[in-house]
Amino acid sequence: MGTDRPAGYPDMPDPWTLRYRGFDPVEEGLREVLCALGNGYLVTRGAAPESVADGVHYPGTYLAGCYDRAGSTVSGRAVTNEDLVNCPNWLPLTFRPAGGDWFTGPPAEQTIELDLRRGVLTRTALVVDDRGRRTRLVQRRLASQARPHLLALESTFTPENWSGPLEVRSGLDGDVTNSGVARYRGLAERHLTPVGVGVDEDGLLRLEAGMANSPLWIALSARTSARRAARVATECGESWVAHVLTLEGERGRPVTVEKTVAVHTSRDRAIETPLGASRLLASGAGDFEDLLAEHALRWGELWRHCRIEADFDGTGPLHLNLFHLLQTYSEHSVDLDVGVPARGLHGEAYRGHVFWDELFVLRLLNLHFPELARAVLRYRHRRLDAARRQAREAGSHGAMYPWQSASDGREESQQLHLNPLSGRWLPDHSHLQRHVGSAVAYNVWQYYQATGDRDFLATAGAEMLLEIARFWSSTAVYDRARGRWSIRGVLGPDEYHDAYPGAARPGLDDNAYTNVLASWVLARAQDALDVLPGYRRGELRERLALDDLELARWQEVGRHLHVPFHGGVLSQFEGYDRLAELDWEAYRRRYPDLRRLDRILEAEGDTVNRYKASKQADALMLWFLFSAREVRDLLRRLGYPAHHELLRRTTDHYLRRTVHGSTLSSVVHAWVLTRSDRRASWRHFRDALVADLRDSQHGTTAEGVHLGAMAGAVDLLQRCYTGLEVREDAVWLDPRLPSALGRLELDLRYRGHWGVLIAVDRRTVTVSLHEDRQEPVRIRLRGAEATIRPGETRRFHL
């Protein structure tokens, strides 16, 4: 990326720095998200400290797992939504030369740099007031990776052409709402209720707040200090409190003020009260340099544990994606009982809910931070009873995981959604994406394959797998005409198609992705039982009342599910072949951007349900999760001839009819195309890699990052282009490097090994193990097999 950019446009002068020059109100929301700082416990958007939520700026701080439920009325219907809450604003800090107005922005000049290596946001600005007094401002902030409840802001003021009193106001603000997503406006947005503000006997600011409809309690304590003598006064309102420091400003002499804030909630462990814990932490914290040193040390550890080196010009966006993943979910998330929000903790899109995006995230975490992957799966296991209740309510058995999850595991999918093009609120049927349960099962098995963690499988993983398999078996109905089992009334990953044209009820029958993956789950459930020690297997079967007759039914259903085809192509669902062809040429002339084709057609009085058009990969998801050989084996197990041309024909068919309305679409297509068209694969990879940096969905990144696409793009380098798989107690490699990529080098964790080094170039693959006491690792590469012991290196020639 070059350095000559317009104001507000991002620049990466090196692979570890994101830089913005100037101020662009149109791009400010995007910049705030990409410059957000977090640590897995919380994330704070990169809003200017002097700013307020005004349609341009949107200060927001989000704590993992902090949700509140509220009711609204939409088109005469009562609806309830649970939202990730915008918590009290810890950032407020502004200044003025005595007698002037408080600085509210924007500055006359500004450069903002995000240091990805250390997790520090630096702002350098020139502020000129209405009397022409010029003040140079340098601010640094961090969200501590060493102490996740601590946030810090350092501000240095240098008068350039004036001397005299300088006033600095530093505060806490509890008067915040959830108003960061325009299409949610009109819904309930006030979740936070400040219940106490003030200053304690040690001079710390304090703010306590509760939730409107949940028992959650939040407390902030703030210490503001200057590196020279200052007079301190206090201002206080109903929902805010501030220190006002008065210092002597001298022309050319810097004045530094430090603000340190501690945040605790009633969800935190090992504390007496949130306020008491936050006061203790804020009062005892070191200065900014001390906090920065320990914070940077932790970031150094994180980067060593996920080292991926590649010789192409996209390592900056690669680091940016990893940075935001590690800010959303880290070691500090493990004990919080939280999932992976699809849009990170960076904004309010999707209300902070958990979807299937962990399917893309955990494939990366399994091989770098398996303890984090295990924590995500524990989040799902704790909600297994909720999934069982939902299955019963749907008339099925086993566990039916929700499409959208938040605090307690109930279905959180919206009942209505707004089409901004037509202004109409429409029924939302996305909860019918039952395939999310198969994603949970897939994640359980992949985690086990990468870690060999039989304890987890025995205590939690196998139970989830078995109950998801039971759900699919009980949901399938027998079609006597075909002599096959059918899964009806569901939605696939495409999301555009939610009913048959003219149908009275929502849902589709025999979505190919859903059915093949259900068959895989039914097979893996038996494998999971076989892995368990005999006594644990017996205990689990007894607990679940799982007898031989039911296991036999699983095999019967799993081998005879209906999978539709048409013209040598895997059909997206039964009846897909009867849909009309869209006049793509005409629509591309009329609408330069077809990513929201569903909204366009609805606004025209039509429906996408009538056409062979897809938002994102659906049937092709099978080749994303499994190798081509595995897909062929899955289809043959179901009794379908699976020729080698199936992947090419299916890819060609759907690629021409897909509008890539999701950032995940480029990830999947890059993966699927790598064996047939590496140049096209690389184009899709590059699109996925910079999807948030370039805001490819036209404004949506300002509402939160797309975490699945961020992780998925990194995983394309890690596993797709190396052909890396973990299965059958071995690491499989089958490199297919695109022409633009000459070398890849990865540091991985695998089954207790903390240093599996894999280096791939066009001629060789080198695998090295650090010296330790772990078992040898089996490597499979294009028919060759080798066992590598700790401390050994093996080179394979391609």
Side-chain angles (χ1 to χ4, degrees), residues 721-778:
Y721 295 134
T722 61
L724 191 156
E725 297 177 80
V726 287
R727 55 184 170 88
E728 300 171 22
D729 299 318
V731 175
W732 297 63
L733 295 164
D734 186 13
R736 292 288 192 278
L737 296 184
S739 59
L741 187 62
R743 180 176 173 82
L744 268 172
E745 194 168 302
L746 316 170
D747 263 333
L748 307 176
R749 286 170 62 183
Y750 174 73
R751 297 203 167 190
H753 289 274
W754 280 66
V756 180
L757 175 64
I758 299 176
V760 178
D761 59 31
R762 302 203 176 281
R763 296 182 178 179
T764 64
V765 174
T766 304
V767 181
S768 302
L769 300 186
H770 289 186
E771 189 73 58
D772 62 28
R773 297 182 179 179
Q774 296 297 322
E775 294 294 316
V777 174
R778 291 175 56 228

Side-chain angles (χ1 to χ4, degrees), residues 31-58:
R31 188 201 62 76
E32 289 179 354
V33 165
L34 294 181
C35 292
L37 296 179
N39 53 32
Y41 178 80
L42 55 76
V43 171
T44 292
R45 291 166 63 95
E50 72 277 1
S51 68
V52 296
D54 58 5
V56 174
H57 308 278
Y58 192 69

Side-chain angles (χ1 to χ4, degrees), residues 120-183:
V120 178
L121 184 64
T122 301
R123 177 197 198 193
T124 303
L126 176 65
V127 177
V128 183
D129 71 4
D130 56 3
R131 300 185 191 179
R133 289 178 290 189
R134 299 163 59 91
T135 306
R136 184 67 56 180
L137 172 64
V138 179
Q139 292 178 310
R140 297 189 295 172
R141 77 172 77 162
L142 60 84
S144 177
Q145 278 284 7
R147 293 193 252 180
H149 300 273
L150 275 180
L151 302 139
L153 171 66
E154 177 197 69
S155 302
T156 299
F157 311 90
T158 305
E160 289 194 344
N161 63 352
W162 63 275
S163 297
L166 169 69
E167 294 180 323
V168 178
R169 185 170 65 194
S170 169
L172 302 172
D173 184 9
D175 186 21
V176 300
T177 61
N178 275 52
S179 53
V181 178
R183 61 190 175 279

Side-chain angles (χ1 to χ4, degrees), residues 417-424 426 496 582-611 613-615 659-661 697-698:
H417 67 266
L418 174 67
N419 182 354
L421 299 183
S422 67
R424 287 187 284 267
L426 308 167
Y496 272 0
L582 186 74
D583 188 344
W584 290 99
E585 184 177 346
Y587 269 85
R588 287 192 172 107
R589 282 198 305 268
R590 292 164 58 192
Y591 302 99
D593 186 356
L594 290 178
R595 292 174 198 242
R596 291 316 306 255
L597 178 64
D598 57 333
R599 291 176 176 175
I600 291 171
L601 290 171
E602 193 278 330
E604 292 181 347
D606 203 346
T607 172
V608 73
N609 285 329
R610 296 180 55 230
Y611 302 102
S614 298
K615 174 184 176 182
V659 298
H660 307 295
Q697 297 291 316
H698 305 299

Side-chain angles (χ1 to χ4, degrees), residues 13 17-21 111-115 120-123:
T17 305
L18 178 67
R19 176 190 293 159
Y20 287 84
R21 297 183 186 274
T111 299
I112 294 173
E113 289 192 349
L114 176 61
D115 179 349
V120 178
L121 184 64
T122 301
R123 177 197 198 193

Side-chain angles (χ1 to χ4, degrees), residues 579-650:
L579 299 182
E581 288 285 2
L582 186 74
D583 188 344
W584 290 99
E585 184 177 346
Y587 269 85
R588 287 192 172 107
R589 282 198 305 268
R590 292 164 58 192
Y591 302 99
D593 186 356
L594 290 178
R595 292 174 198 242
R596 291 316 306 255
L597 178 64
D598 57 333
R599 291 176 176 175
I600 291 171
L601 290 171
E602 193 278 330
E604 292 181 347
D606 203 346
T607 172
V608 73
N609 285 329
R610 296 180 55 230
Y611 302 102
K612 294 174 182 171
S614 298
K615 174 184 176 182
Q616 61 194 59
D618 192 300
L620 291 177
M621 275 293 301
L622 291 170
W623 285 275
F624 175 73
L625 297 184
F626 306 106
S627 67
R629 190 192 77 178
E630 287 178 293
V631 174
R632 288 195 298 271
D633 289 346
L634 285 168
L635 291 172
R636 287 166 182 165
R637 180 176 183 270
L638 284 161
Y640 293 98
H643 51 78
H644 287 267
E645 284 293 296
L646 179 64
L647 171 57
R648 183 189 63 78
R649 292 173 67 98
T650 302

Side-chain angles (χ1 to χ4, degrees), residues 656-732:
R656 294 196 303 270
R657 296 166 174 85
T658 300
V659 298
H660 307 295
S662 164
T663 54
L664 296 174
S665 190
S666 289
V667 173
V668 177
H669 284 93
W671 197 289
V672 171
L673 287 166
T674 191
R675 294 299 189 264
S676 60
D677 188 343
R678 270 177 257 176
R679 185 170 295 179
S681 170
W682 187 251
R683 286 198 304 271
H684 281 286
F685 162 71
R686 295 303 297 254
D687 288 345
L689 187 66
V690 298
D692 278 321
L693 183 63
R694 300 294 194 211
D695 192 17
S696 65
Q697 297 291 316
H698 305 299
T700 63
T701 301
E703 303 166 351
V705 295
H706 298 81
L707 210 60
M710 281 187 154
V714 177
D715 195 43
L716 283 164
L717 283 178
Q718 172 180 274
R719 297 193 316 110
C720 177
Y721 295 134
T722 61
L724 191 156
E725 297 177 80
V726 287
R727 55 184 170 88
E728 300 171 22
D729 299 318
V731 175
W732 297 63

